[in-house]
Amino acid sequence: MNPLIVIPSYWTDGGQPGQADELGERGAYDYATPISKPLPELESCLSSLEQVRGVLRVAVLVVADQSCYEAARARVNSICRSHPNLNPLVVGREEGKRIVDAVSKVVPSANGEVAGLRGYGAIKNLGLAVASVFGHDVAVFIYDDELVLDPDFLTSAVFGLGAYTRQDLKILAKSGFYIDENDSPYAKTAKRWTEKEWTKTAQFNKVMERAQKAKNRITRSNHMCGGCCAIHAEAFTRIPFDPYITRGDDLDYVLNLRSYGVDAWFDNQWCVRQVVPEETASTASIFMQNIYRWLYEYRKLDVLNSRRDLRTITLESLMPYPAPWLSAGVEKRILHTALRRLVAGPRRRDYLRILTKGRREADQFARENASRYLSFSMAWPGVIAAIWDDRFLQKAILRTGEVCGRAALGKKPAAASEPLSGIALKVADFDDTGSAGALAAQAAPADPGSTGALAAQAAPAAAPADPGSTGAM
């Protein structure tokens, strides 16, 4: 396989992220690295990747406001130059614009909104577009505030991709998981009175416990960790991330996949260590983005289920998480939590604004935009067909983005591919997986690069009914 590692990297001039005037904005992020930080998270992340076998290319997406973009780009270039073995490719505004222009030729109304350097979903789509331009058949996403612990990280990333289950389901998207400083994969429980109806940790931990204790390595999942996931080209050339969601793009992608008849899978032997920075966005900002997120998801799920050509997603199939957040009950959760936080503070002015105005604006946004993803997703295969393995785009992007010297186009380091070429699949590792074709499918995936093959994916076939299980198949 030919995986590309994609790392979105967010930067700021030092201002505190998530101020009141940014509440609910799609371009506001949980965390951004201050330009002046002595040891940026990106440096630690890339250093941890140095030990990994089989790295062909690492694409670093530079996300920064106009006011500090040049300084952020300079720092990213400098950091990447110190890791030439990773064959780093920096994708900033100049490189991103070349891809956005190519996308706009297929989707004239896009204007950088659906694949670009603003908004979690659009940034992920830009990563998929970079993978397509350079002909990579797997996109592996990690975040710059993570450390890779295992030299066989990429081997684990591609393990199982392209394999079939006995029920003839192809594994095209999979998630690993995060561990904390204590090597625990479980979220810490919030017991504060204000969070009584808003915390998801108990539900999430049930999902995680089920996957961790499964007898099989890979099981079907309702959850995806966006900073530890691998997506096969057969999936990402058909199904994009949702650029209109404020946050939670990874879990939303599970719903997008399932609507188009593709399942997400969980690998309980693949993980990264997440290092949570101190300088995070305000709780009020994240809360408002989550209000937009959950109301949007709630309305969007209704739209998806109204389409007869898509797989119906039942709430029962999404238990124990995220089902409780995708029904009308989420509106009460929002109201009660905002009231509790208003009473208990801090940032009471923000919560008053959320109660009096923010909730209404978020619901209006959800109602008006819930169907936009479907229109965009139908055009996505045509976008990918237009840019797949485009040598002109490759040269243009490498001219400015390849900070460690020009490498021969299409030439892979001889040693790099070796660790990924001989992965032994065992029946015990997969639930109902183990046909003789599984290894062959992994070793030699179908070439997604032909225009005809991609164009044929634009119109999905009649989707099967949602099987309704989050566990092993």
PDB file of all heavy atoms in Angstrom, residues 426-451:
ATOM      1  N   LYS A 426      -4.536 -12.719   9.940  1.00  0.00           N
ATOM      2  CA  LYS A 426      -4.990 -13.924  10.628  1.00  0.00           C
ATOM      3  C   LYS A 426      -6.498 -13.877  10.785  1.00  0.00           C
ATOM      4  O   LYS A 426      -7.072 -12.824  11.043  1.00  0.00           O
ATOM      5  CB  LYS A 426      -4.338 -14.013  12.010  1.00  0.00           C
ATOM      6  CG  LYS A 426      -2.812 -14.033  11.965  1.00  0.00           C
ATOM      7  CD  LYS A 426      -2.256 -14.022  13.381  1.00  0.00           C
ATOM      8  CE  LYS A 426      -0.734 -13.972  13.357  1.00  0.00           C
ATOM      9  NZ  LYS A 426      -0.179 -13.918  14.738  1.00  0.00           N
ATOM     10  N   VAL A 427      -7.128 -15.021  10.641  1.00  0.00           N
ATOM     11  CA  VAL A 427      -8.577 -15.080  10.789  1.00  0.00           C
ATOM     12  C   VAL A 427      -9.002 -14.569  12.152  1.00  0.00           C
ATOM     13  O   VAL A 427     -10.015 -13.873  12.294  1.00  0.00           O
ATOM     14  CB  VAL A 427      -9.072 -16.524  10.580  1.00  0.00           C
ATOM     15  CG1 VAL A 427     -10.557 -16.623  10.854  1.00  0.00           C
ATOM     16  CG2 VAL A 427      -8.770 -16.983   9.163  1.00  0.00           C
ATOM     17  N   ALA A 428      -8.208 -14.836  13.163  1.00  0.00           N
ATOM     18  CA  ALA A 428      -8.579 -14.439  14.521  1.00  0.00           C
ATOM     19  C   ALA A 428      -8.580 -12.933  14.711  1.00  0.00           C
ATOM     20  O   ALA A 428      -9.206 -12.417  15.629  1.00  0.00           O
ATOM     21  CB  ALA A 428      -7.620 -15.078  15.529  1.00  0.00           C
ATOM     22  N   ASP A 429      -7.878 -12.214  13.851  1.00  0.00           N
ATOM     23  CA  ASP A 429      -7.798 -10.770  14.006  1.00  0.00           C
ATOM     24  C   ASP A 429      -9.064 -10.070  13.534  1.00  0.00           C
ATOM     25  O   ASP A 429      -9.323  -8.936  13.915  1.00  0.00           O
ATOM     26  CB  ASP A 429      -6.605 -10.218  13.221  1.00  0.00           C
ATOM     27  CG  ASP A 429      -5.281 -10.574  13.875  1.00  0.00           C
ATOM     28  OD1 ASP A 429      -5.225 -10.534  15.110  1.00  0.00           O
ATOM     29  OD2 ASP A 429      -4.331 -10.906  13.155  1.00  0.00           O
ATOM     30  N   PHE A 430      -9.837 -10.708  12.676  1.00  0.00           N
ATOM     31  CA  PHE A 430     -11.026 -10.099  12.113  1.00  0.00           C
ATOM     32  C   PHE A 430     -12.251 -10.884  12.508  1.00  0.00           C
ATOM     33  O   PHE A 430     -12.212 -12.105  12.584  1.00  0.00           O
ATOM     34  CB  PHE A 430     -10.951 -10.059  10.575  1.00  0.00           C
ATOM     35  CG  PHE A 430      -9.837  -9.219  10.069  1.00  0.00           C
ATOM     36  CD1 PHE A 430      -8.569  -9.750   9.912  1.00  0.00           C
ATOM     37  CD2 PHE A 430     -10.043  -7.891   9.774  1.00  0.00           C
ATOM     38  CE1 PHE A 430      -7.537  -8.971   9.451  1.00  0.00           C
ATOM     39  CE2 PHE A 430      -9.019  -7.101   9.313  1.00  0.00           C
ATOM     40  CZ  PHE A 430      -7.760  -7.639   9.148  1.00  0.00           C
ATOM     41  N   ASP A 431     -13.309 -10.183  12.728  1.00  0.00           N
ATOM     42  CA  ASP A 431     -14.553 -10.880  12.980  1.00  0.00           C
ATOM     43  C   ASP A 431     -15.145 -11.279  11.646  1.00  0.00           C
ATOM     44  O   ASP A 431     -15.489 -10.432  10.827  1.00  0.00           O
ATOM     45  CB  ASP A 431     -15.523  -9.980  13.738  1.00  0.00           C
ATOM     46  CG  ASP A 431     -16.697 -10.767  14.254  1.00  0.00           C
ATOM     47  OD1 ASP A 431     -17.603 -11.028  13.471  1.00  0.00           O
ATOM     48  OD2 ASP A 431     -16.669 -11.157  15.424  1.00  0.00           O
ATOM     49  N   ASP A 432     -15.266 -12.587  11.421  1.00  0.00           N
ATOM     50  CA  ASP A 432     -15.791 -13.124  10.177  1.00  0.00           C
ATOM     51  C   ASP A 432     -14.990 -12.664   8.966  1.00  0.00           C
ATOM     52  O   ASP A 432     -15.543 -12.417   7.898  1.00  0.00           O
ATOM     53  CB  ASP A 432     -17.276 -12.732   9.988  1.00  0.00           C
ATOM     54  CG  ASP A 432     -18.153 -13.460  10.979  1.00  0.00           C
ATOM     55  OD1 ASP A 432     -17.728 -14.513  11.482  1.00  0.00           O
ATOM     56  OD2 ASP A 432     -19.253 -12.973  11.253  1.00  0.00           O
ATOM     57  N   THR A 433     -13.675 -12.535   9.147  1.00  0.00           N
ATOM     58  CA  THR A 433     -12.807 -12.179   8.040  1.00  0.00           C
ATOM     59  C   THR A 433     -11.786 -13.278   7.860  1.00  0.00           C
ATOM     60  O   THR A 433     -11.308 -13.829   8.817  1.00  0.00           O
ATOM     61  CB  THR A 433     -12.077 -10.855   8.325  1.00  0.00           C
ATOM     62  OG1 THR A 433     -13.044  -9.866   8.622  1.00  0.00           O
ATOM     63  CG2 THR A 433     -11.254 -10.426   7.124  1.00  0.00           C
ATOM     64  N   GLY A 434     -11.390 -13.568   6.653  1.00  0.00           N
ATOM     65  CA  GLY A 434     -10.349 -14.553   6.495  1.00  0.00           C
ATOM     66  C   GLY A 434     -10.387 -15.285   5.185  1.00  0.00           C
ATOM     67  O   GLY A 434      -9.837 -16.363   5.068  1.00  0.00           O
ATOM     68  N   SER A 435     -11.066 -14.708   4.216  1.00  0.00           N
ATOM     69  CA  SER A 435     -11.058 -15.351   2.903  1.00  0.00           C
ATOM     70  C   SER A 435      -9.679 -15.221   2.297  1.00  0.00           C
ATOM     71  O   SER A 435      -8.900 -14.357   2.648  1.00  0.00           O
ATOM     72  CB  SER A 435     -12.090 -14.676   1.986  1.00  0.00           C
ATOM     73  OG  SER A 435     -11.726 -13.345   1.735  1.00  0.00           O
ATOM     74  N   ALA A 436      -9.378 -16.109   1.360  1.00  0.00           N
ATOM     75  CA  ALA A 436      -8.072 -16.069   0.723  1.00  0.00           C
ATOM     76  C   ALA A 436      -7.857 -14.760  -0.018  1.00  0.00           C
ATOM     77  O   ALA A 436      -6.730 -14.330  -0.224  1.00  0.00           O
ATOM     78  CB  ALA A 436      -7.933 -17.250  -0.249  1.00  0.00           C
ATOM     79  N   GLY A 437      -8.952 -14.110  -0.402  1.00  0.00           N
ATOM     80  CA  GLY A 437      -8.824 -12.855  -1.142  1.00  0.00           C
ATOM     81  C   GLY A 437      -8.485 -11.672  -0.268  1.00  0.00           C
ATOM     82  O   GLY A 437      -8.157 -10.609  -0.775  1.00  0.00           O
ATOM     83  N   ALA A 438      -8.568 -11.830   1.061  1.00  0.00           N
ATOM     84  CA  ALA A 438      -8.317 -10.688   1.937  1.00  0.00           C
ATOM     85  C   ALA A 438      -6.902 -10.170   1.811  1.00  0.00           C
ATOM     86  O   ALA A 438      -6.674  -8.972   1.700  1.00  0.00           O
ATOM     87  CB  ALA A 438      -8.606 -11.078   3.385  1.00  0.00           C
ATOM     88  N   LEU A 439      -5.927 -11.083   1.854  1.00  0.00           N
ATOM     89  CA  LEU A 439      -4.542 -10.659   1.760  1.00  0.00           C
ATOM     90  C   LEU A 439      -4.244 -10.084   0.383  1.00  0.00           C
ATOM     91  O   LEU A 439      -3.563  -9.077   0.250  1.00  0.00           O
ATOM     92  CB  LEU A 439      -3.605 -11.839   2.038  1.00  0.00           C
ATOM     93  CG  LEU A 439      -2.102 -11.513   2.026  1.00  0.00           C
ATOM     94  CD1 LEU A 439      -1.806 -10.400   3.000  1.00  0.00           C
ATOM     95  CD2 LEU A 439      -1.293 -12.740   2.367  1.00  0.00           C
ATOM     96  N   ALA A 440      -4.806 -10.703  -0.631  1.00  0.00           N
ATOM     97  CA  ALA A 440      -4.578 -10.191  -1.981  1.00  0.00           C
ATOM     98  C   ALA A 440      -5.162  -8.803  -2.142  1.00  0.00           C
ATOM     99  O   ALA A 440      -4.573  -7.941  -2.787  1.00  0.00           O
ATOM    100  CB  ALA A 440      -5.193 -11.140  -3.012  1.00  0.00           C
ATOM    101  N   ALA A 441      -6.332  -8.583  -1.522  1.00  0.00           N
ATOM    102  CA  ALA A 441      -6.968  -7.269  -1.625  1.00  0.00           C
ATOM    103  C   ALA A 441      -6.121  -6.217  -0.942  1.00  0.00           C
ATOM    104  O   ALA A 441      -6.063  -5.068  -1.364  1.00  0.00           O
ATOM    105  CB  ALA A 441      -8.364  -7.311  -0.997  1.00  0.00           C
ATOM    106  N   GLN A 442      -5.470  -6.613   0.166  1.00  0.00           N
ATOM    107  CA  GLN A 442      -4.640  -5.655   0.873  1.00  0.00           C
ATOM    108  C   GLN A 442      -3.332  -5.420   0.129  1.00  0.00           C
ATOM    109  O   GLN A 442      -2.856  -4.299   0.019  1.00  0.00           O
ATOM    110  CB  GLN A 442      -4.334  -6.142   2.283  1.00  0.00           C
ATOM    111  CG  GLN A 442      -3.436  -5.178   3.043  1.00  0.00           C
ATOM    112  CD  GLN A 442      -3.415  -5.489   4.506  1.00  0.00           C
ATOM    113  OE1 GLN A 442      -4.428  -5.884   5.070  1.00  0.00           O
ATOM    114  NE2 GLN A 442      -2.291  -5.312   5.123  1.00  0.00           N
ATOM    115  N   ALA A 443      -2.751  -6.473  -0.405  1.00  0.00           N
ATOM    116  CA  ALA A 443      -1.451  -6.335  -1.040  1.00  0.00           C
ATOM    117  C   ALA A 443      -1.537  -5.587  -2.359  1.00  0.00           C
ATOM    118  O   ALA A 443      -0.631  -4.864  -2.720  1.00  0.00           O
ATOM    119  CB  ALA A 443      -0.849  -7.720  -1.282  1.00  0.00           C
ATOM    120  N   ALA A 444      -2.652  -5.746  -3.077  1.00  0.00           N
ATOM    121  CA  ALA A 444      -2.779  -5.099  -4.378  1.00  0.00           C
ATOM    122  C   ALA A 444      -4.173  -4.536  -4.533  1.00  0.00           C
ATOM    123  O   ALA A 444      -5.032  -5.115  -5.188  1.00  0.00           O
ATOM    124  CB  ALA A 444      -2.501  -6.106  -5.498  1.00  0.00           C
ATOM    125  N   PRO A 445      -4.472  -3.369  -3.905  1.00  0.00           N
ATOM    126  CA  PRO A 445      -5.800  -2.783  -3.999  1.00  0.00           C
ATOM    127  C   PRO A 445      -6.098  -2.324  -5.419  1.00  0.00           C
ATOM    128  O   PRO A 445      -5.189  -2.028  -6.185  1.00  0.00           O
ATOM    129  CB  PRO A 445      -5.714  -1.584  -3.050  1.00  0.00           C
ATOM    130  CG  PRO A 445      -4.259  -1.235  -3.006  1.00  0.00           C
ATOM    131  CD  PRO A 445      -3.528  -2.542  -3.152  1.00  0.00           C
ATOM    132  N   ALA A 446      -7.366  -2.293  -5.711  1.00  0.00           N
ATOM    133  CA  ALA A 446      -7.774  -1.823  -7.035  1.00  0.00           C
ATOM    134  C   ALA A 446      -7.309  -0.395  -7.233  1.00  0.00           C
ATOM    135  O   ALA A 446      -7.360   0.414  -6.328  1.00  0.00           O
ATOM    136  CB  ALA A 446      -9.298  -1.910  -7.164  1.00  0.00           C
ATOM    137  N   ASP A 447      -6.842  -0.089  -8.402  1.00  0.00           N
ATOM    138  CA  ASP A 447      -6.361   1.248  -8.690  1.00  0.00           C
ATOM    139  C   ASP A 447      -7.539   2.204  -8.755  1.00  0.00           C
ATOM    140  O   ASP A 447      -8.385   2.101  -9.626  1.00  0.00           O
ATOM    141  CB  ASP A 447      -5.614   1.240 -10.022  1.00  0.00           C
ATOM    142  CG  ASP A 447      -5.087   2.617 -10.392  1.00  0.00           C
ATOM    143  OD1 ASP A 447      -5.132   3.495  -9.516  1.00  0.00           O
ATOM    144  OD2 ASP A 447      -4.640   2.791 -11.530  1.00  0.00           O
ATOM    145  N   PRO A 448      -7.610   3.171  -7.801  1.00  0.00           N
ATOM    146  CA  PRO A 448      -8.749   4.095  -7.809  1.00  0.00           C
ATOM    147  C   PRO A 448      -8.541   5.263  -8.750  1.00  0.00           C
ATOM    148  O   PRO A 448      -9.336   6.171  -8.792  1.00  0.00           O
ATOM    149  CB  PRO A 448      -8.797   4.576  -6.358  1.00  0.00           C
ATOM    150  CG  PRO A 448      -7.364   4.528  -5.922  1.00  0.00           C
ATOM    151  CD  PRO A 448      -6.719   3.390  -6.681  1.00  0.00           C
ATOM    152  N   GLY A 449      -7.422   5.261  -9.467  1.00  0.00           N
ATOM    153  CA  GLY A 449      -7.045   6.465 -10.174  1.00  0.00           C
ATOM    154  C   GLY A 449      -7.688   6.689 -11.520  1.00  0.00           C
ATOM    155  O   GLY A 449      -7.575   7.765 -12.063  1.00  0.00           O
ATOM    156  N   SER A 450      -8.299   5.703 -12.100  1.00  0.00           N
ATOM    157  CA  SER A 450      -8.861   5.909 -13.425  1.00  0.00           C
ATOM    158  C   SER A 450     -10.108   6.765 -13.355  1.00  0.00           C
ATOM    159  O   SER A 450     -10.925   6.634 -12.468  1.00  0.00           O
ATOM    160  CB  SER A 450      -9.202   4.558 -14.064  1.00  0.00           C
ATOM    161  OG  SER A 450     -10.247   3.935 -13.375  1.00  0.00           O
ATOM    162  N   THR A 451     -10.221   7.662 -14.303  1.00  0.00           N
ATOM    163  CA  THR A 451     -11.368   8.566 -14.307  1.00  0.00           C
ATOM    164  C   THR A 451     -12.671   7.801 -14.399  1.00  0.00           C
ATOM    165  O   THR A 451     -13.652   8.123 -13.729  1.00  0.00           O
ATOM    166  CB  THR A 451     -11.259   9.540 -15.490  1.00  0.00           C
ATOM    167  OG1 THR A 451     -10.021  10.259 -15.365  1.00  0.00           O
ATOM    168  CG2 THR A 451     -12.418  10.517 -15.504  1.00  0.00           C
TER     169      THR A 451
END
